[in-house]
mmCIF file of all heavy atoms in Angstrom:
data_model
loop_
_atom_site.group_PDB
_atom_site.id
_atom_site.type_symbol
_atom_site.label_atom_id
_atom_site.label_comp_id
_atom_site.label_asym_id
_atom_site.label_seq_id
_atom_site.Cartn_x
_atom_site.Cartn_y
_atom_site.Cartn_z
ATOM 1 N N HIS A 1092 14.527 -1.901 -18.943
ATOM 2 C CA HIS A 1092 15.817 -2.471 -19.331
ATOM 3 C C HIS A 1092 16.012 -2.275 -20.826
ATOM 4 O O HIS A 1092 15.198 -2.751 -21.619
ATOM 5 C CB HIS A 1092 15.886 -3.959 -18.977
ATOM 6 C CG HIS A 1092 17.238 -4.566 -19.224
ATOM 7 N ND1 HIS A 1092 18.274 -4.448 -18.312
ATOM 8 C CD2 HIS A 1092 17.735 -5.270 -20.281
ATOM 9 C CE1 HIS A 1092 19.341 -5.066 -18.791
ATOM 10 N NE2 HIS A 1092 19.044 -5.569 -19.992
ATOM 11 N N ASP A 1125 17.307 3.294 -16.686
ATOM 12 C CA ASP A 1125 17.563 2.149 -17.558
ATOM 13 C C ASP A 1125 18.569 1.225 -16.874
ATOM 14 O O ASP A 1125 19.725 1.589 -16.667
ATOM 15 C CB ASP A 1125 18.127 2.650 -18.895
ATOM 16 C CG ASP A 1125 18.127 1.581 -19.969
ATOM 17 O OD1 ASP A 1125 18.285 0.395 -19.629
ATOM 18 O OD2 ASP A 1125 17.960 1.939 -21.158
ATOM 19 N N THR A 1126 18.125 0.006 -16.525
ATOM 20 C CA THR A 1126 19.002 -0.920 -15.802
ATOM 21 C C THR A 1126 20.148 -1.433 -16.678
ATOM 22 O O THR A 1126 21.190 -1.830 -16.154
ATOM 23 C CB THR A 1126 18.206 -2.112 -15.256
ATOM 24 O OG1 THR A 1126 17.404 -2.688 -16.303
ATOM 25 C CG2 THR A 1126 17.294 -1.680 -14.118
ATOM 26 N N LYS A 1127 19.976 -1.432 -17.993
ATOM 27 C CA LYS A 1127 21.082 -1.856 -18.858
ATOM 28 C C LYS A 1127 22.219 -0.833 -18.803
ATOM 29 O O LYS A 1127 23.404 -1.203 -18.741
ATOM 30 C CB LYS A 1127 20.620 -2.050 -20.302
ATOM 31 C CG LYS A 1127 21.690 -2.678 -21.201
ATOM 32 C CD LYS A 1127 21.145 -3.027 -22.568
ATOM 33 C CE LYS A 1127 22.206 -3.709 -23.439
ATOM 34 N NZ LYS A 1127 22.503 -5.085 -22.983
ATOM 35 N N LEU A 1128 21.868 0.449 -18.822
ATOM 36 C CA LEU A 1128 22.895 1.477 -18.687
ATOM 37 C C LEU A 1128 23.525 1.419 -17.302
ATOM 38 O O LEU A 1128 24.751 1.534 -17.158
ATOM 39 C CB LEU A 1128 22.292 2.864 -18.928
ATOM 40 C CG LEU A 1128 23.264 4.028 -18.756
ATOM 41 C CD1 LEU A 1128 24.359 3.978 -19.812
ATOM 42 C CD2 LEU A 1128 22.537 5.364 -18.789
ATOM 43 N N MET A 1129 22.711 1.220 -16.278
ATOM 44 C CA MET A 1129 23.217 1.144 -14.906
ATOM 45 C C MET A 1129 24.234 0.010 -14.769
ATOM 46 O O MET A 1129 25.304 0.176 -14.177
ATOM 47 C CB MET A 1129 22.043 0.941 -13.942
ATOM 48 C CG MET A 1129 22.365 1.138 -12.479
ATOM 49 S SD MET A 1129 20.850 1.005 -11.485
ATOM 50 C CE MET A 1129 21.495 1.380 -9.845
ATOM 51 N N ALA A 1130 23.900 -1.146 -15.365
ATOM 52 C CA ALA A 1130 24.793 -2.305 -15.281
ATOM 53 C C ALA A 1130 26.054 -2.128 -16.117
ATOM 54 O O ALA A 1130 27.050 -2.823 -15.885
ATOM 55 C CB ALA A 1130 24.046 -3.565 -15.720
ATOM 56 N N SER A 1131 26.007 -1.215 -17.093
ATOM 57 C CA SER A 1131 27.149 -0.994 -17.988
ATOM 58 C C SER A 1131 28.052 0.127 -17.503
ATOM 59 O O SER A 1131 28.988 0.520 -18.200
ATOM 60 C CB SER A 1131 26.640 -0.657 -19.401
ATOM 61 O OG SER A 1131 25.776 -1.653 -19.885
ATOM 62 N N THR A 1132 27.747 0.688 -16.316
ATOM 63 C CA THR A 1132 28.460 1.848 -15.790
ATOM 64 C C THR A 1132 29.140 1.477 -14.474
ATOM 65 O O THR A 1132 28.702 0.561 -13.774
ATOM 66 C CB THR A 1132 27.467 3.009 -15.571
ATOM 67 O OG1 THR A 1132 26.714 3.215 -16.772
ATOM 68 C CG2 THR A 1132 28.174 4.299 -15.202
ATOM 69 N N GLN A 1133 30.207 2.190 -14.135
ATOM 70 C CA GLN A 1133 30.857 1.970 -12.838
ATOM 71 C C GLN A 1133 29.884 2.273 -11.705
ATOM 72 O O GLN A 1133 29.054 3.174 -11.841
ATOM 73 C CB GLN A 1133 32.094 2.882 -12.704
ATOM 74 C CG GLN A 1133 33.186 2.589 -13.694
ATOM 75 C CD GLN A 1133 33.889 1.264 -13.416
ATOM 76 O OE1 GLN A 1133 33.539 0.535 -12.475
ATOM 77 N NE2 GLN A 1133 34.872 0.940 -14.242
ATOM 78 N N PRO A 1134 29.914 1.518 -10.595
ATOM 79 C CA PRO A 1134 30.870 0.468 -10.262
ATOM 80 C C PRO A 1134 30.467 -0.936 -10.734
ATOM 81 O O PRO A 1134 31.126 -1.913 -10.385
ATOM 82 C CB PRO A 1134 30.878 0.518 -8.735
ATOM 83 C CG PRO A 1134 29.459 0.852 -8.397
ATOM 84 C CD PRO A 1134 29.002 1.814 -9.464
ATOM 85 N N PHE A 1135 29.380 -1.048 -11.521
ATOM 86 C CA PHE A 1135 28.881 -2.367 -11.898
ATOM 87 C C PHE A 1135 29.601 -2.945 -13.115
ATOM 88 O O PHE A 1135 29.633 -4.164 -13.308
ATOM 89 C CB PHE A 1135 27.370 -2.276 -12.184
ATOM 90 C CG PHE A 1135 26.590 -1.687 -11.054
ATOM 91 C CD1 PHE A 1135 26.134 -0.371 -11.116
ATOM 92 C CD2 PHE A 1135 26.318 -2.420 -9.918
ATOM 93 C CE1 PHE A 1135 25.425 0.190 -10.072
ATOM 94 C CE2 PHE A 1135 25.605 -1.870 -8.862
ATOM 95 C CZ PHE A 1135 25.165 -0.569 -8.946
ATOM 96 N N LYS A 1136 30.160 -2.084 -13.932
ATOM 97 C CA LYS A 1136 30.762 -2.519 -15.189
ATOM 98 C C LYS A 1136 31.832 -3.587 -14.971
ATOM 99 O O LYS A 1136 31.951 -4.529 -15.763
ATOM 100 C CB LYS A 1136 31.348 -1.298 -15.897
ATOM 101 C CG LYS A 1136 31.919 -1.580 -17.269
ATOM 102 C CD LYS A 1136 32.399 -0.285 -17.902
ATOM 103 C CE LYS A 1136 32.935 -0.535 -19.305
ATOM 104 N NZ LYS A 1136 33.408 0.725 -19.936
ATOM 105 N N GLU A 1137 32.612 -3.454 -13.903
ATOM 106 C CA GLU A 1137 33.690 -4.401 -13.644
ATOM 107 C C GLU A 1137 33.173 -5.723 -13.084
ATOM 108 O O GLU A 1137 33.886 -6.733 -13.122
ATOM 109 C CB GLU A 1137 34.681 -3.793 -12.641
ATOM 110 C CG GLU A 1137 35.264 -2.460 -13.070
ATOM 111 C CD GLU A 1137 36.187 -2.606 -14.268
ATOM 112 O OE1 GLU A 1137 36.743 -3.703 -14.449
ATOM 113 O OE2 GLU A 1137 36.350 -1.620 -15.014
ATOM 114 N N LEU A 1138 31.959 -5.740 -12.590
ATOM 115 C CA LEU A 1138 31.433 -6.920 -11.904
ATOM 116 C C LEU A 1138 30.452 -7.730 -12.742
ATOM 117 O O LEU A 1138 30.179 -8.884 -12.433
ATOM 118 C CB LEU A 1138 30.723 -6.489 -10.605
ATOM 119 C CG LEU A 1138 31.567 -5.673 -9.620
ATOM 120 C CD1 LEU A 1138 30.688 -5.125 -8.509
ATOM 121 C CD2 LEU A 1138 32.685 -6.540 -9.042
ATOM 122 N N ILE A 1139 29.906 -7.127 -13.805
ATOM 123 C CA ILE A 1139 28.849 -7.761 -14.606
ATOM 124 C C ILE A 1139 29.373 -7.991 -16.013
ATOM 125 O O ILE A 1139 29.731 -7.049 -16.722
ATOM 126 C CB ILE A 1139 27.580 -6.890 -14.616
ATOM 127 C CG1 ILE A 1139 27.018 -6.757 -13.199
ATOM 128 C CG2 ILE A 1139 26.537 -7.477 -15.559
ATOM 129 C CD1 ILE A 1139 25.888 -5.755 -13.076
ATOM 130 N N SER A 1140 29.397 -9.235 -16.441
ATOM 131 C CA SER A 1140 29.957 -9.583 -17.749
ATOM 132 C C SER A 1140 28.930 -9.568 -18.867
ATOM 133 O O SER A 1140 29.276 -9.384 -20.030
ATOM 134 C CB SER A 1140 30.610 -10.970 -17.684
ATOM 135 O OG SER A 1140 29.653 -11.955 -17.299
ATOM 136 N N ASN A 1141 27.658 -9.761 -18.554
ATOM 137 C CA ASN A 1141 26.604 -9.833 -19.568
ATOM 138 C C ASN A 1141 25.408 -9.033 -19.075
ATOM 139 O O ASN A 1141 24.846 -9.331 -18.015
ATOM 140 C CB ASN A 1141 26.206 -11.294 -19.815
ATOM 141 C CG ASN A 1141 25.280 -11.459 -21.009
ATOM 142 O OD1 ASN A 1141 24.487 -10.579 -21.330
ATOM 143 N ND2 ASN A 1141 25.369 -12.603 -21.674
ATOM 144 N N THR A 1142 25.007 -8.015 -19.847
ATOM 145 C CA THR A 1142 23.932 -7.126 -19.389
ATOM 146 C C THR A 1142 22.584 -7.438 -20.025
ATOM 147 O O THR A 1142 21.658 -6.645 -19.922
ATOM 148 C CB THR A 1142 24.294 -5.656 -19.670
ATOM 149 O OG1 THR A 1142 24.494 -5.483 -21.085
ATOM 150 C CG2 THR A 1142 25.536 -5.247 -18.912
ATOM 151 N N SER A 1143 22.439 -8.585 -20.716
ATOM 152 C CA SER A 1143 21.102 -8.977 -21.177
ATOM 153 C C SER A 1143 20.250 -9.238 -19.947
ATOM 154 O O SER A 1143 20.765 -9.637 -18.883
ATOM 155 C CB SER A 1143 21.170 -10.222 -22.060
ATOM 156 O OG SER A 1143 21.590 -11.346 -21.314
ATOM 157 N N LEU A 1147 21.637 -10.772 -16.531
ATOM 158 C CA LEU A 1147 21.842 -9.775 -15.482
ATOM 159 C C LEU A 1147 21.154 -10.212 -14.201
ATOM 160 O O LEU A 1147 21.732 -10.138 -13.105
ATOM 161 C CB LEU A 1147 21.313 -8.414 -15.940
ATOM 162 C CG LEU A 1147 21.407 -7.272 -14.928
ATOM 163 C CD1 LEU A 1147 22.865 -6.997 -14.566
ATOM 164 C CD2 LEU A 1147 20.741 -6.016 -15.487
ATOM 165 N N LEU A 1151 23.125 -11.021 -10.602
ATOM 166 C CA LEU A 1151 22.849 -10.190 -9.421
ATOM 167 C C LEU A 1151 22.368 -11.011 -8.227
ATOM 168 O O LEU A 1151 22.123 -10.455 -7.157
ATOM 169 C CB LEU A 1151 21.815 -9.115 -9.778
ATOM 170 C CG LEU A 1151 22.333 -8.023 -10.722
ATOM 171 C CD1 LEU A 1151 21.210 -7.098 -11.142
ATOM 172 C CD2 LEU A 1151 23.457 -7.225 -10.065
ATOM 173 N N CYS A 1190 16.463 -6.517 -10.646
ATOM 174 C CA CYS A 1190 17.810 -6.061 -11.015
ATOM 175 C C CYS A 1190 18.099 -4.678 -10.448
ATOM 176 O O CYS A 1190 19.180 -4.418 -9.897
ATOM 177 C CB CYS A 1190 17.965 -6.057 -12.537
ATOM 178 S SG CYS A 1190 17.977 -7.701 -13.292
ATOM 179 N N MET A 1194 21.040 -3.758 -7.598
ATOM 180 C CA MET A 1194 22.121 -2.819 -7.883
ATOM 181 C C MET A 1194 22.042 -1.598 -6.983
ATOM 182 O O MET A 1194 23.073 -1.088 -6.505
ATOM 183 C CB MET A 1194 22.085 -2.417 -9.359
ATOM 184 C CG MET A 1194 22.537 -3.526 -10.295
ATOM 185 S SD MET A 1194 22.780 -2.987 -12.012
ATOM 186 C CE MET A 1194 21.073 -2.743 -12.539
ATOM 187 N N PHE A 1219 21.919 8.112 -12.618
ATOM 188 C CA PHE A 1219 21.348 7.257 -13.654
ATOM 189 C C PHE A 1219 19.982 7.747 -14.134
ATOM 190 O O PHE A 1219 19.408 7.148 -15.039
ATOM 191 C CB PHE A 1219 21.213 5.818 -13.134
ATOM 192 C CG PHE A 1219 22.503 5.230 -12.636
ATOM 193 C CD1 PHE A 1219 22.753 5.122 -11.275
ATOM 194 C CD2 PHE A 1219 23.473 4.809 -13.526
ATOM 195 C CE1 PHE A 1219 23.939 4.587 -10.813
ATOM 196 C CE2 PHE A 1219 24.672 4.270 -13.077
ATOM 197 C CZ PHE A 1219 24.900 4.161 -11.714
#
Side-chain angles (χ1 to χ4, degrees):
H1092 186 82
D1125 193 328
T1126 50
K1127 188 172 182 71
L1128 178 65
M1129 193 175 184
S1131 305
T1132 308
Q1133 296 290 1
F1135 306 103
K1136 184 177 182 180
E1137 304 292 334
L1138 304 171
I1139 297 172
S1140 59
N1141 189 329
T1142 60
S1143 66
L1147 178 62
L1151 290 174
C1190 291
M1194 288 190 288
F1219 304 103

